[in-house]
Amino acid sequence: MKKIVLGCIADDFTGATDLANNLVRAGMRVVQTIGVPSGPLGAEVDAVVVALKSRTVPPAQAVAESLAALAWLQAQGAQQIYFKYCSTFDSTARGNIGPVTEALMDALQTNFTIATPAFPDNQRTVFKGYLFVGDVLLSESGMQNHPLTPMADANLVRVLQSQTTRRVGLIAHTVVARGAPAVRERMAQLQAEGVGVAIVDAVSNDDLLRLGPALKGMPLVTAGSGVAIALPANFGITPSDQASRLPVASGLQAVVSGSCSLATNRQVLDFMKQGHPALAIDPLRIASGADVAAEVLAWAKPLLTQGPVLVYSTADSSDVKSVQGRLGVEEAGAMVERTLAAVARGLVQLGVRQLVVAGGETSGACVQALGITQMQIGPQIDPGVPWCHAAIEPPRPALRVLAAPQGGVADLGAARRSSATTGDGGLHLALKSGNFGSDDFFTKAFTMLK
Ligand code: ADP
């Protein structure tokens, strides 16, 4: 099998899809894996994005997982490694962007890399080392109040310096604007001064495209997903429809939504307004012990043959707060995730082969319940959300689903692996993180697959 050229390590699941989506749009054929695979790849691609969940775990664990991903990517032939983090530079006081960057540099025996979360398509820009979200500094964007990764300082040189023993420097916009030769010159100068990691300014896609050629041959690049638009050209790869080609879609259609973001609330309303059947899940009913997943599947079964159905726990913030007040924040979240994951698994067993999942955590739970470990990345539906395709088990009788204990997750992995060899068409999946997507996202997604 042909070797991959670019190996990517992403510190969370939907961020990995976002990166993969940008690489595909720039012409690479990409597979995203959930965690570090235990064996070789099943498809011939240019890049692999290994999705970890390492953003907020203890630094030593993030380092160990990232190094395991690195070793696997190197075994697949990766010539360049891309460490991908959030475009809001989400990190705790201890890391993990600094520690992971440093560990990867050590393992790759390189003394220099860049760091830039710039993603102009999503209004993340870096200027004089300061990260802006839209028109305001990161530290005024709401991210200063994030429950897990509060970002109270927008100066990325300072933030990264506090997480690493390597010296952190800056490649300012005045340099980037002059193009790749000027960037290379500045990199050489910074290295001579003992700088190990350079924050790079970028306020537009043009800046990222000017930066791209200067990254050719660099063993390690660290960035948000923005820089991805400029890397495939370094390997002689240009945008092409071939890169996003997936098998022809078939089967029934469904949406499972556990996101309570404003955008998802609008999308749920829009789907219902267009006349499609939708069923709300009540977290308090789950807590009462009812087999909500079985009830939902019994409701969906006769409707699925007529078109897409929606199952949602999506609610506005006052309803969510009230439920959280009664059940506890984590317990409510975990209960809903378990139920929606069981619903997703049951829907696939009923014949759904085009599945949209809304919510980052919800997506993680559903993908795990479906036993999916690798996804081929296809065409973009909306910025940051592509259709993906995964091998799955052959259909099973619905009876099994309805009798399954609620929240119980069967091992579908073995069956999934067998479907990879029998080639039964697999599952088209769109995993949408909270605030992504236009109001008509759910219907638009299915129209796109026709
Ligand atoms: P997003 O991408 O919008 O953040 P996530 O799926 O990551 O969506 O997170 C939403 C969280 O809220 C999940 O843990 C989910 O189980 C939980 N949740 C969903 N609906 C409700 C609800 N009605 N009440 C309480 N928690 C909910």
Side-chain angles (χ1 to χ4, degrees):
M1 179 149 328
K2 201 170 145 262
K3 291 182 181 297
I4 64 170
V5 293
L6 185 67
C8 309
I9 303 166
D11 70 355
D12 91 331
F13 185 83
T14 41
T17 311
D18 179 15
L19 169 61
N21 181 55
N22 275 354
L23 291 171
V24 167
R25 290 196 307 143
M28 281 186 164
R29 296 163 303 161
V30 183
V31 157
Q32 175 179 335
T33 70
I34 290 75
V36 183
S38 49
L41 263 184
E44 191 166 305
V45 289
D46 304 302
V48 175
V49 182
V50 176
L52 301 178
K53 217 172 180 303
S54 56
R55 185 169 294 168
T56 54
V57 301
Q61 187 185 340
V63 164
E65 289 174 9
S66 303
L67 290 178
L70 170 67
W72 185 85
L73 290 165
Q74 285 178 314
Q76 312 311 310
Q79 297 165 25
Q80 185 170 50
I81 299 297
Y82 190 131
F83 170 39
K84 193 272 175 190
Y85 35 75
C86 190
S87 62
T88 39
F89 216 66
D90 297 19
S91 43
T92 68
R94 297 183 301 163
N96 291 327
I97 297 176
V100 170
T101 298
E102 207 165 324
L104 293 173
M105 289 174 78
D106 289 343
L108 288 162
Q109 298 182 321
T110 180
N111 283 323
F112 189 78
T113 186
I114 61 137
T116 182
F119 187 12
D121 278 350
N122 250 354
Q123 281 82 49
R124 278 26 163 198
T125 54
V126 182
F127 188 67
K128 293 189 186 294
Y130 285 80
L131 176 56
F132 290 82
V133 178
D135 295 328
V136 300
L137 287 169
L138 172 69
S139 48
E140 298 167 13
S141 68
M143 276 302 294
Q144 70 273 28
N145 300 319
H146 192 282
L148 300 177
T149 54
M151 302 301 294
D153 188 357
N155 183 311
L156 298 182
V157 176
R158 225 163 24 216
V159 171
L160 188 55
Q161 191 63 83
S162 71
Q163 298 178 15
T164 177
T165 58
R166 305 264 180 167
R167 238 182 100 195
V168 181
L170 175 67
I171 302 177
H173 190 257
T174 45
V175 176
V176 177
R178 284 190 285 126
V183 173
R184 277 194 210 99
E185 200 179 306
R186 175 69 177 147
M187 285 177 176
Q189 185 190 3
L190 287 171
Q191 284 183 73
E193 291 169 9
V195 167
V197 190
I199 302 291
V200 184
D201 280 356
V203 299
S204 65
N205 280 348
D206 285 345
D207 286 338
L208 294 174
L209 293 169
R210 272 189 285 268
L211 169 68
L215 305 178
K216 189 170 182 171
M218 190 178 266
L220 175 69
V221 170
T222 87
S225 65
V227 168
I229 65 171
L231 292 189
N234 288 343
F235 299 98
I237 295 170
T238 50
S240 125
D241 287 347
Q242 290 296 324
S244 63
R245 182 158 294 183
L246 297 180
V248 174
S250 61
L252 306 174
Q253 303 167 322
V255 183
V256 170
S257 176
S259 160
C260 297
S261 74
L262 291 175
T264 308
N265 270 282
R266 288 197 299 271
Q267 288 154 356
V268 165
L269 278 179
D270 187 274
F271 185 84
M272 292 192 283
K273 236 191 271 165
Q274 296 200 37
H276 298 294
L279 186 66
I281 279 184
D282 177 3
L284 297 178
R285 207 171 140 61
I286 304 173
S288 76
D291 193 346
V292 173
E295 292 168 4
V296 166
L297 294 168
W299 166 83
K301 195 176 174 190
L303 296 169
L304 279 165
T305 50
Q306 294 152 44
V309 305
L310 164 67
V311 178
Y312 66 99
S313 65
T314 305
D316 66 24
S317 58
S318 63
D319 285 350
V320 172
K321 279 207 183 82
S322 144
V323 165
Q324 288 173 334
R326 294 179 65 172
L327 304 178
V329 175
E330 280 180 19
E331 191 49 31
M335 239 180 234
V336 172
E337 279 170 37
R338 272 200 307 274
T339 303
L340 289 179
V343 167
R345 195 181 65 232
L347 287 170
V348 169
Q349 287 167 337
L350 287 172
V352 167
R353 290 293 177 275
Q354 301 172 39
L355 180 66
V356 175
V357 184
E361 294 299 322
T362 309
S363 292
C366 290
V367 164
Q368 194 182 13
L370 290 165
I372 291 169
T373 55
Q374 294 188 9
M375 307 187 302
Q376 176 97 28
I377 308 298
Q380 173 175 289
I381 306 163
D382 266 333
V385 200
W387 270 113
C388 307
H389 182 264
I392 48 151
E393 55 157 334
R396 284 186 191 171
L399 214 58
R400 259 186 74 100
V401 178
L402 299 176
Q406 191 187 342
V409 176
D411 174 19
L412 303 185
R416 184 201 60 74
R417 284 186 289 279
S418 81
S419 81
T421 48
T422 54
D424 68 339
L427 175 68
H428 284 75
L429 256 181
L431 306 171
K432 187 196 82 74
S433 78
N435 271 317
F436 283 11
S438 59
D439 289 359
D440 62 348
F441 182 88
F442 295 156
T443 41
K444 181 164 75 180
F446 296 120
T447 309
M448 224 184 114
L449 278 189
K450 274 185 190 152

